[in-house]
């Protein structure tokens, strides 16, 4: 036998897995599945009295409040629909500050007083729930004895059914607040920031002479990257199981150097899995669109068509849950950690963002000649200004112990938040600095030299994969977002800071004297913004050493390498000012978020340190010592037999074991340490514990390269990444 029994059974299980599920897309087209489990507008229209439907629609389209009597009628309709579909329970679904999805389930049944029970569901039960808030992180906002928390129905995000082999649950998307009214969730700031963005964007549109202006919404389309490995390997790796990433693992003979994985043919089992994920997501009305192999081995991506930001955020949570849930059926584990494997690419979530409405469309649509599209330039300039003023905040909004392994490390994208505009727009901004912009670079067409292929239309700008914040045609793409995080935090930040810039612009333009032409005033303001804020615009290679120097020293951009460097930005003066002005979050609520970020940071690294200690003493050292004994026995037998024995291998292994033991002792010394304050504690983890984990890993990985393979206790990188 060439591998350890545990590994061998994992390998053979992976190899023998056969897909048995058959989805019948042939019989029922995917369009028939779409939205099947959603109480969407179509269902509402067919089930609600006309006036009630109109009231709900008005709330969804304009943000108008919904009155309680209407809620009662809606509740009854939702209940009837859910019961017909087999639902037994309803659940208020919310997103506490862990960033994960939480759900509290209640049965529809209530005793009827005569020994039986009837299904009940009132407007109040739909609109408000009361989960105990004491076990969710609050960042010190709430003492544990103040347990009351409320969930409140978000009318704008549709209710849906979750099917399980044994039953169906009606899910109600909600916001989550404490009894004292403080915000304890991710969703509420998104909703509030969207309102602020709407108000400010509409001021601008009115200035541009639009009389018919519908509610402006932020839109979001998050591209999700993930890894899939056979679940047998996952279960044999305590590090993956408990921390989400491999804390050990020697470099495999083959990595991603062939660049043969990106857009490669999707493996059979994985494709079957993707089909089922998509079917499940279609049922939930989630418009997933694209799927492909990503750059790293066993890495993939799924992306939806964009939606209104808060709905997209809810749907994104459901995408992550579905990816994980369905994987098990296929004997796979979906890894959403930002850096599950060292030495190959990690996973992110590109957050595509724009704003628009039903009357003016996408407000970041430049048209063919952006230089003379003043309205577009105003919105675009507002984003550039916002990112320049609040780049640190955006960095903080994507900070976590796990995302630190991507940002600021040698990987996409860098921790310095700059904006990529592309050649055409960057050129327009250069012109603006000097006054009015007079021309736009053209894209043109490209002939391939074969007549059967028609000429290709060329975009006016190339793509840039190294920028953390890129303009991609008619939207911005925030690429630093973490694969495992909710998009709610980054969304709320983007909406808020752009609202602030739009407010700044609207305030100036509303005050122009009568004798001044509106167009001239806009041009002057654009010149001012281009001059003051173009330091944030960068079209070059974001990974290069020179850029890091230039950004920090010449342009004054922040390079916040780690979570602890970035965290203070959440409570920075300009953050608090913006969040309070638009009533997104109070200073106290921001402070709470800052504290939770650092707490979670410490906890994550602490778990990793515990895992490293445990795996070294129960797996790696025993394996290495067994091998050492084997070698020693061999040397002794050879000697006894009078054969010349070579002790080099034994000495090498012994040296590596000594080194590992020494590192393990050093780790044990710092692991128990506790600092006075939260910031000091986080620094301890960052500066002491993390580097030590790297040292221990080096010692183990060195052993992996010499210890006999049949003794090695856990699946290797090669096995996890290349056995599909
Ligand atoms: P790319 O290949 O450049 O990443 P795609 O055109 O495939 O871009 O779009 C990527 C993502 O951007 C998709 O999820 C898409 O829905 C989203 N997207 C497109 N337009 C918008 C928009 N106006 N607002 C928000 N997201 C958008
Ligand atoms: Mg993209």
């Amino acid at each position: 036998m060439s591998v350890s029994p545990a590994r061998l059974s994992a390998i053979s299980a992976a190899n023998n897995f056969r897909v048995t599920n058959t989805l019948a897309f042939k019989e029922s087209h995917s369009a028939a599945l779409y939205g099947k489990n959603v109480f969407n507008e179509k269902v509402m229209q067919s089930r609600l009295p006309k006036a009630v439907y109109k009231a709900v629609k008005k709330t969804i389209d304009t943000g108008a409040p919904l009155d309680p009597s209407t809620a009662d009628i809606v509740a009854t309709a939702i209940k009837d629909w859910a019961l017909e579909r087999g639902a037994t329970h309803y659940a208020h679904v919310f997103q506490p500050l862990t960033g994960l999805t939480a759900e509290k389930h209640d049965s529809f049944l209530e005793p009827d007083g005569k020994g039986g029970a009837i299904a009940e569901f009132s407007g109040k039960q739909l609109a408000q729930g009361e989960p105990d808030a004491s076990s969710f992180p609050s960042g010190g906002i709430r003492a544990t004895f103040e347990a009351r928390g409320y969930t409140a129905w978000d009318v704008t995000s549709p209710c849906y059914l979750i099917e399980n082999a044994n039953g169906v649950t009606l899910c109600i998307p909600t916001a989550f607040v404490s009894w004292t009214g403080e915000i304890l969730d991710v969703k509420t700031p998104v909703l509030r920031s969207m309102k602020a963005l709407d108000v400010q964007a509409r001021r601008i549109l009115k200035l541009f002479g639009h009389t018919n202006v519908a509610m402006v919404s932020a839109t979001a389309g998050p591209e999700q990257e993930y890894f899939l490995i056979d679940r047998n390997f996952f279960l044999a790796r305590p590090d993956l199981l408990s921390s989400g990433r491999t804390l050990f693992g020697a470099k495999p003979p083959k990595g991603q150097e062939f660049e043969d994985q990106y857009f490669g043919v999707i493996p059979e089992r994985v494709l079957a899995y993707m089909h089922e994920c998509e079917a499940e997501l279609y049922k939930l009305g989630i418009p997933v669109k694209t799927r492909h192999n990503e750059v790293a081995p066993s890495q993939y991506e799924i992306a939806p068509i964009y939606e209104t930001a808060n709905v997209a955020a809810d749907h994104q949570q459901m995408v992550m849950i579905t990816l994980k849930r369905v994987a098990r059926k296929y004997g796979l584990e979906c890894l959403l950690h930002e850096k599950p494997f060292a030495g190959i690419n990690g996973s992110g979530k590109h957050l595509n963002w724009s704003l628009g409405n039903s009357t003016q469309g996408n407000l970041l649509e430049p048209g063919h000649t952006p230089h003379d599209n003043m309205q577009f330039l105003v919105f675009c300039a507002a984003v550039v200004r916002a990112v320049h003023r609040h780049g640190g905040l955006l960095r903080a909004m994507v900070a976590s112990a796990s995302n630190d392994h991507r940002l600021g490390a040698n990987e996409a994208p860098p921790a310095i938040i700059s904006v990529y505009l592309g050649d055409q727009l960057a050129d327009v901004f250069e012109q603006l600095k000097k006054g009015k912009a007079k021309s736009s670079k053209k894209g043109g067409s490209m002939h391939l030299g074969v007549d059967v292929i028609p000429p290709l239309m060329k975009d006016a700008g190339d793509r840039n994969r190294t920028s953390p914040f890129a303009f991609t045609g008619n939207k911005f793409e925030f690429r630093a977002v973490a694969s495992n995080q909710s998009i709610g935090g980054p969304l709320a930040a983007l909406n808020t800071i752009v609202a602030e810039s739009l407010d700044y612009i609207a305030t100036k333009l509303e005050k122009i004297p009568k004798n001044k032409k509106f167009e001239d005033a806009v041009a002057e303001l654009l010149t001012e913004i281009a001059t003051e804020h173009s330091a944030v615009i960068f079209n070059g290679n974001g990974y290069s050493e020179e850029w890091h120097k230039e950004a920090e020293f010449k342009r004054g951009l922040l390079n916040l390498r780690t979570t602890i460097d970035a965290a203070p930005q959440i409570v920075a003066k300009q953050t608090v000012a913006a969040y309070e002005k638009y009533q997104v979050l109070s200073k106290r609520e921001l402070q709470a978020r800052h504290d939770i970020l650092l707490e979670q940071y410490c906890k994550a690294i602490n778990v990793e340190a515990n895992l490293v200690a445990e795996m070294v003493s129960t797996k790696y050292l025993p394996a290495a010592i067994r091998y050492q004994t084997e070698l020693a026995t061999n040397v002794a037998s050879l000697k006894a037999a009078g054969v010349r024995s070579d002790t080099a291998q034994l000495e090498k292994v012994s040296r590596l074991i000594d080194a590992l033991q020494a590192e393990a002792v050093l780790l044990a010394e710092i692991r128990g340490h506790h600092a006075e304050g939260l910031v000091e504690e986080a620094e301890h983890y960052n500066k002491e514990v993390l580097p030590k984990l790297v040292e221990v890993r080096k010692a183990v990985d060195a052993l992996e390269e010499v210890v006999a393979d049949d003794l090695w206790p856990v699946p290797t990188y090669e096995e996890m990444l290349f056995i599909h």
Side-chain angles (χ1 to χ4, degrees), residues 579-637:
Y579 274 64
E580 290 205 324
K581 180 163 186 197
Y582 303 104
Q583 292 166 3
V584 176
L585 287 171
S586 68
K587 185 173 179 185
R588 193 167 127 90
E589 288 162 338
L590 284 166
Q591 183 67 46
R593 271 153 222 257
H594 164 275
D595 292 359
I596 290 169
L597 175 62
L598 290 187
E599 276 165 24
Q600 301 236 356
Y601 179 83
C602 295
K603 285 178 189 164
I605 299 174
N606 186 43
V607 166
E608 292 184 351
N610 293 343
L611 279 163
V612 165
E614 180 196 288
M615 287 176 75
V616 166
S617 71
T618 65
K619 290 192 183 295
Y620 297 120
L621 273 177
I625 288 169
R626 271 181 209 154
Y627 184 50
Q628 185 187 37
T629 309
E630 209 175 290
L631 290 171
T633 311
N634 171 262
V635 169
S637 327

Side-chain angles (χ1 to χ4, degrees), residues 151-174:
T151 49
W153 179 33
D154 171 10
V155 184
T156 59
S157 186
C159 296
Y160 55 93
L161 300 172
I162 287 289
E163 295 169 308
N164 169 281
N166 287 337
V168 176
T169 307
L170 167 70
C171 295
I172 304 157
T174 62

Side-chain angles (χ1 to χ4, degrees), residues 431-452:
Q431 294 181 50
L432 283 175
K433 279 199 216 165
K434 300 178 200 111
K436 273 188 191 164
K438 298 198 175 65
S439 65
S440 295
K441 286 188 177 175
K442 288 274 173 291
S445 64
M446 198 168 16
H447 200 267
L448 296 185
V450 233
D451 291 331
V452 290

Side-chain angles (χ1 to χ4, degrees), residues 127-148:
Q128 187 173 329
E130 197 183 312
D132 186 333
S134 61
S135 297
F136 292 108
S138 76
I141 274 185
R142 180 193 32 62
T144 27
F145 59 88
E146 299 167 327
R148 229 182 256 274

Side-chain angles (χ1 to χ4, degrees), residues 23-25 28-38 40 85 163 275-286:
L23 292 177
F25 284 121
S28 67
H29 193 267
S30 50
L33 285 180
Y34 196 81
K36 197 174 148 229
N37 288 347
V38 186
N40 54 25
R85 307 290 303 278
E163 295 169 308
H275 276 300
E276 182 155 350
C277 282
E278 287 157 0
E280 289 300 310
L281 293 168
Y282 289 155
K283 284 196 228 163
L284 294 169
I286 299 174

Side-chain angles (χ1 to χ4, degrees), residues 183-346:
I183 305 307
L184 295 177
D185 75 346
V186 177
K187 181 194 264 278
T188 312
V190 174
L191 292 172
R192 290 177 169 183
S193 66
M194 285 175 71
K195 193 170 157 194
L197 188 70
D198 169 41
V199 171
Q200 302 309 329
R202 280 203 265 180
R203 278 172 75 195
I204 302 279
L205 290 174
K206 293 221 171 87
L207 281 163
F208 274 93
H210 300 287
T211 45
N212 181 16
V213 179
M215 181 172 83
V216 174
S217 289
T219 50
E223 304 164 45
Q224 174 78 53
E225 293 177 340
Y226 60 95
F227 279 87
L228 281 179
I229 64 167
D230 191 278
R231 191 160 158 76
N232 294 293
F233 297 136
F234 172 77
L235 293 175
R237 297 275 321 208
D239 45 359
L240 276 179
L241 187 70
S242 293
S243 77
R245 73 172 174 120
T246 52
L247 297 163
F248 306 96
K251 212 166 144 9
K254 179 186 169 200
Q256 63 186 44
E257 65 272 32
F258 286 99
E259 301 179 331
D260 53 356
Q261 160 77 7
Y262 191 55
F263 287 166
V265 176
I266 301 171
E268 197 67 19
R269 171 157 50 144
V270 174
L271 187 57
Y273 157 80
M274 288 174 168
H275 276 300
E276 182 155 350
C277 282
E278 287 157 0
E280 289 300 310
L281 293 168
Y282 289 155
K283 284 196 228 163
L284 294 169
I286 299 174
V288 284
K289 177 85 175 160
T290 62
R291 60 176 178 221
H292 62 79
N293 268 19
E294 257 301 329
V295 171
S298 289
Q299 192 188 28
Y300 310 93
E301 180 180 299
I302 181 170
I305 293 171
Y306 70 92
E307 300 178 276
T308 305
N310 64 313
V311 177
D314 285 350
H315 281 174
Q316 222 290 306
Q317 295 295 109
M318 284 145 75
V319 167
M320 289 195 283
I321 292 171
T322 305
L323 287 176
K324 284 215 156 266
R325 189 164 52 83
V326 175
R328 310 233 158 137
K329 280 179 79 173
Y330 289 82
L332 297 166
E333 181 69 27
C334 171
L335 307 176
L336 293 174
H337 191 284
E338 286 71 21
K339 192 75 179 174
F341 302 99
I344 55 172
N345 274 26

Side-chain angles (χ1 to χ4, degrees), residues 271-531:
L271 187 57
Y273 157 80
M274 288 174 168
H275 276 300
E276 182 155 350
C277 282
E278 287 157 0
E280 289 300 310
L281 293 168
Y282 289 155
K283 284 196 228 163
L284 294 169
I286 299 174
V288 284
K289 177 85 175 160
T290 62
R291 60 176 178 221
H292 62 79
N293 268 19
E294 257 301 329
V295 171
S298 289
Q299 192 188 28
Y300 310 93
E301 180 180 299
I302 181 170
I305 293 171
Y306 70 92
E307 300 178 276
T308 305
N310 64 313
V311 177
D314 285 350
H315 281 174
Q316 222 290 306
Q317 295 295 109
M318 284 145 75
V319 167
M320 289 195 283
I321 292 171
T322 305
L323 287 176
K324 284 215 156 266
R325 189 164 52 83
V326 175
R328 310 233 158 137
K329 280 179 79 173
Y330 289 82
L332 297 166
E333 181 69 27
C334 171
L335 307 176
L336 293 174
H337 191 284
E338 286 71 21
K339 192 75 179 174
F341 302 99
I344 55 172
N345 274 26
S347 298
K349 183 142 55 198
H350 293 176
L351 176 56
N352 295 273
W353 177 95
S354 186
L355 70 173
N357 65 5
S358 58
T359 42
Q360 278 72 43
N362 180 359
L363 298 173
L364 287 173
E365 178 60 60
H368 292 299
T369 52
H371 72 279
D372 60 12
N373 185 344
M374 291 297 231
Q375 182 181 303
F376 161 75
L377 287 177
V378 161
F379 281 100
C380 189
V383 177
V384 170
R385 179 180 181 273
V387 177
H388 188 223
R389 287 167 51 84
H390 296 281
L393 172 68
L394 291 177
R395 168 66 184 91
M397 282 296 139
V398 298
S400 65
S402 47
N403 211 21
D404 280 359
H405 295 290
R406 290 172 68 229
L407 313 178
N410 248 344
E411 199 179 312
I416 305 164
I417 305 291
S418 62
V419 180
Y420 171 84
L421 283 184
D423 289 347
Q424 189 187 46
L425 269 189
D427 174 62
V428 170
F429 268 74
E430 276 307 308
Q431 294 181 50
L432 283 175
K433 279 199 216 165
K434 300 178 200 111
K436 273 188 191 164
K438 298 198 175 65
S439 65
S440 295
K441 286 188 177 175
K442 288 274 173 291
S445 64
M446 198 168 16
H447 200 267
L448 296 185
V450 233
D451 291 331
V452 290
I453 303 178
L456 296 178
M457 295 312 291
K458 237 176 95 170
D459 288 306
D462 196 5
R463 284 166 174 257
N464 177 318
R465 309 307 295 182
T466 68
S467 175
F469 200 92
F471 185 73
T472 48
N474 58 4
K475 62 188 189 282
F476 281 94
E477 186 170 336
F478 186 19
R479 302 199 181 115
V481 180
S483 57
N484 204 8
Q485 92 175 108
S486 159
I487 59 170
L491 268 179
L494 264 173
N495 295 340
T496 307
I497 63 178
V498 173
E500 183 193 54
S501 276
L502 293 172
D503 183 2
Y504 171 83
I505 294 170
T507 305
K508 287 217 155 173
L509 294 180
E510 279 162 0
K511 279 201 248 159
I512 54 172
K514 285 232 161 55
N515 56 5
K516 187 157 192 168
K517 266 173 67 185
F518 176 68
E519 206 174 284
D520 293 339
V522 174
E524 271 170 35
L525 190 53
L526 286 174
T527 301
E528 176 209 300
I529 293 176
T531 311

